[in-house]
Amino acid sequence: MAKQIHLNGFVQNSPSPHSTGLWKHKKDEGIKHNQISYWTETAKVLERGMFDAVFIADVLGTYSVYGGNHESAVRHAVQLPAHDPLLPISAMAAVTEHIGFAPTISATYAQPYSLARQLSTLDHLTEGRIAWNVVTSYLESEAINLGLSGRLPKELRYDRADEFLEVVYKLWEHSWEEDAVVYNREKDIFANPEKVHAIDHEGEFFRVPGVHLTEPSPQRTPVLFQAGASPRGRDFAAKHAEAVFTKGHSLEALKSYTKDLRNRTIQQGRKGEDIRIFPMVLPIIGSTEAEAYAKYEDLKNHVSYEGTAALLSGHTGIDFSVYNPDQYLEDMETEAVQGNLDMYTKDPNKKWTLREAVQNHGLGNGTVKFIGTPEQIADKLETWAIEGDADGFNIAQSYSLETFREFVDHVVPELQKRGIYRTEYKGKTLRENLFETGNPHLPDNHPARKRKSLI
Ligand SMILES: Cc1cc2nc3c(=O)[nH]c(=O)nc-3n(C[C@H](O)[C@H](O)[C@H](O)COP(=O)(O)O)c2cc1C
């Protein structure tokens, strides 16, 4: 069978979060993100397109690196308002049967004990369709509003995240035995206390002595998504993640990323194919190539320059308000999102000025744009999947939700015609659909399964 492509829809609970300024486009419905019907429609459209999951990005702060304040972010809706990513999920699950949900929650600011309960509850309610996008967060404004004096250094954030996962693995995988719940009405026993274990976790960052608050959910551990780009971030993904997101604008960059990440995964004692790699793509679809390019011009005209400069400043940690727009961006290490800076400073094909980077970043958060007819876009997806060793794509939007509708109506049938995309969901849970293994649980070579000896 030809290699099968997987798809996620990239969203955030904010108006046009990944194409800054597009909220004002006549086709954009992003300002309705505060209504349940917006989310139920998103889930239904993506399930019609047989996507694996709705991937819900999130930040817990404002983009206030630019000019040292939040004014540009407020003026141009730069991922602000930023509503909660978890709360629409039950509503979306109620109107769908198969599609999964991958909310982003920060391992830097959440507590493992309560996060484990939230995601187990959702895994129950969705009958096994939950993932967790594990991030370590990059905005200074998040740290400050969550009680810290400043953002923790990246190394420390990843150390904390590592221990965070150790705690939730103990709760999800080892606290409740599979047959702990007995529902014995005659003997008046709901669950057998001998089969529910306290995890007694004591570490550098967390002390969690108790038992998990929920009985085992269909997947136990939700599917683990990650998107770290720095060397430490990649090692973290290689150790823990089942799916990773990446962003870039060339096939060459993707090839080097997938090779590197699969090698790192093998070094962690896992198999290269244990990790699903999803580059992000913004599709711009026309019935002819000329129409698609005309559409691209129209979309670019809706991008907000100042808003995108503020977004890029938050993503890279650099205050671009003091830069000359025609200045070239310099390569450096950042405590914010390394991948967002590398896109413009490590491009072998081009030196980027700030103006060019901002113009590019304004659509699909700077990721690659596939522009053309449905056939041309399917060609590109196929090439990137095969030559770039990607397992699928994270589809971003210019105007929402119409970008998803156009993709589902025109590109998905083309992928199906080529035999490289599902025509029905085979599994029941998200993990089964992603890996086609028939197993709703993590494989035994994953660190979460090996931690039994720890409790
Ligand atoms: C496609 C993509 C999506 C991301 N989504 C989020 C997000 O929603 N929230 C967040 O805090 N970080 C997000 N990140 C950032 C990373 O997960 C990570 O925490 C950050 O990049 C810092 O680590 P790094 O320098 O190792 O990449 C995303 C990164 C990529 C590439």
Side-chain angles (χ1 to χ4, degrees):
M1 187 162 80
K3 179 171 183 173
Q4 297 295 295
I5 285 175
H6 294 265
L7 295 172
N8 296 300
F10 189 48
V11 301
Q12 190 163 334
N13 199 345
S14 184
S16 52
H18 308 126
S19 292
T20 312
L22 265 288
W23 63 269
K24 57 191 183 287
H25 196 286
K26 61 179 188 304
K27 288 191 179 169
D28 195 276
E29 297 162 63
I31 57 170
K32 297 189 203 152
H33 75 102
N34 56 352
Q35 299 172 16
I36 277 194
S37 56
Y38 176 83
W39 292 104
T40 51
E41 174 67 3
T42 301
K44 285 197 273 191
V45 168
L46 295 178
E47 184 163 88
R48 180 156 61 76
M50 296 187 193
F51 277 46
D52 286 78
V54 185
F55 168 38
I56 313 164
D58 189 41
V59 287
L60 275 161
T62 55
Y63 282 76
S64 38
V65 175
Y66 188 80
N69 62 60
H70 54 254
E71 283 176 23
S72 305
V74 170
R75 191 175 299 119
H76 301 292
V78 183
Q79 301 190 354
L80 190 75
H83 290 207
D84 192 279
L86 287 183
L87 298 179
I89 291 177
S90 291
M92 291 194 276
V95 297
T96 54
E97 262 179 75
H98 305 283
I99 195 161
F101 307 97
T104 297
I105 308 175
S106 175
T108 301
Y109 304 116
Q111 280 294 323
Y113 184 65
S114 49
L115 173 137
R117 179 173 81 148
Q118 280 176 311
L119 292 181
S120 291
T121 304
L122 279 171
D123 202 49
H124 276 287
L125 292 174
T126 61
E127 297 180 56
R129 295 191 272 147
I130 285 294
W132 170 28
N133 178 37
V134 186
V135 296
T136 53
S137 298
Y138 51 88
L139 295 171
E140 183 84 7
S141 65
E142 298 175 283
I144 288 170
N145 286 293
L146 288 153
L148 302 181
S149 54
R151 187 178 49 202
L152 301 175
K154 190 176 288 189
E155 282 289 313
L156 191 60
R157 298 202 304 262
Y158 276 117
D159 286 346
R160 188 182 193 275
D162 240 332
E163 192 186 321
F164 194 115
L165 286 182
E166 193 179 320
V167 180
V168 292
Y169 291 160
K170 289 175 180 175
L171 292 166
W172 283 327
E173 296 288 333
H174 309 301
S175 182
W176 290 64
E177 291 184 34
E178 205 55 40
D179 54 355
V181 178
V182 290
Y183 302 125
N184 191 326
R185 288 186 172 84
E186 289 76 45
K187 293 192 178 152
D188 188 15
I189 300 175
F190 181 85
N192 180 352
E194 280 170 22
K195 299 200 172 203
V196 179
H197 308 286
I199 66 164
D200 289 329
H201 178 87
E202 216 157 313
E204 190 185 340
F205 301 94
F206 304 105
R207 233 191 106 247
V208 182
V211 301
H212 189 28
L213 288 171
T214 70
E215 74 280 34
S217 67
Q219 298 184 115
R220 283 187 174 263
T221 298
V223 177
L224 297 163
F225 285 38
Q226 224 277 324
S230 62
R232 182 69 204 274
R234 289 179 188 206
D235 280 338
F236 183 86
K239 179 174 172 191
H240 299 284
E242 300 178 86
V244 290
F245 301 118
T246 177
K247 205 163 75 169
H249 27 240
S250 75
L251 180 55
E252 278 58 46
L254 174 65
K255 279 184 192 169
S256 108
Y257 174 81
T258 51
K259 190 162 170 244
D260 178 63
L261 195 71
R262 294 207 201 277
N263 281 338
R264 287 175 196 258
T265 307
I266 291 162
Q267 278 162 24
Q268 295 285 342
R270 303 170 66 202
K271 289 185 286 185
E273 66 267 26
D274 285 344
I275 198 155
R276 295 285 193 221
I277 302 180
F278 290 91
M280 187 157 121
V281 166
L282 177 72
I284 301 175
I285 312 162
S287 55
T288 61
E289 196 177 336
E291 191 187 301
Y293 275 90
K295 204 162 162 181
Y296 182 37
E297 289 307 311
D298 171 57
L299 294 172
K300 280 198 284 190
N301 289 334
H302 284 80
V303 168
S304 154
Y305 186 92
E306 188 194 56
T308 309
L311 179 77
L312 192 59
S313 285
H315 278 162
T316 58
I318 302 167
D319 180 4
F320 289 121
S321 71
V322 296
Y323 271 51
N324 175 337
D326 296 311
Q327 198 171 332
Y328 287 113
L329 299 186
E330 294 148 41
D331 194 8
M332 60 176 97
E333 275 193 16
T334 172
E335 281 292 318
V337 188
Q338 192 67 49
N340 277 308
L341 188 58
D342 292 352
M343 269 201 311
Y344 302 110
T345 57
K346 291 195 169 67
D347 185 350
N349 302 315
K350 180 176 162 57
K351 277 183 79 176
W352 291 77
T353 64
L354 173 62
R355 189 192 309 279
E356 291 167 333
V358 168
Q359 280 162 352
N360 181 64
H361 215 69
L363 289 175
N365 270 8
T367 203
V368 69
K369 285 100 192 146
F370 285 174
I371 308 169
T373 63
E375 295 76 21
Q376 288 172 321
I377 291 175
D379 284 347
K380 287 235 176 81
L381 293 171
E382 205 171 348
T383 306
W384 279 47
I386 292 167
E387 290 179 24
D389 194 18
D391 298 291
F393 299 91
N394 204 17
I395 303 299
Q397 303 200 86
S398 48
Y399 38 65
S400 45
L401 303 169
E402 198 57 20
T403 309
F404 284 156
R405 292 196 192 96
E406 290 173 0
F407 188 90
V408 165
D409 291 338
H410 302 288
V411 181
V412 164
E414 185 58 35
L415 298 173
Q416 289 170 326
K417 206 163 79 190
R418 297 174 187 208
I420 56 172
Y421 191 68
R422 63 165 68 96
T423 51
E424 60 178 350
Y425 289 97
K426 297 246 164 67
K428 217 175 133 30
T429 62
L430 174 57
R431 184 170 283 115
E432 288 165 288
N433 282 319
L434 261 182
F435 289 97
E436 294 150 23
T437 54
N439 180 8
H441 298 134
L442 278 167
D444 287 339
N445 64 357
H446 190 279
R449 303 289 280 191
K450 290 187 188 154
R451 300 211 172 253
K452 214 161 210 146
S453 57
L454 292 176
I455 64 166

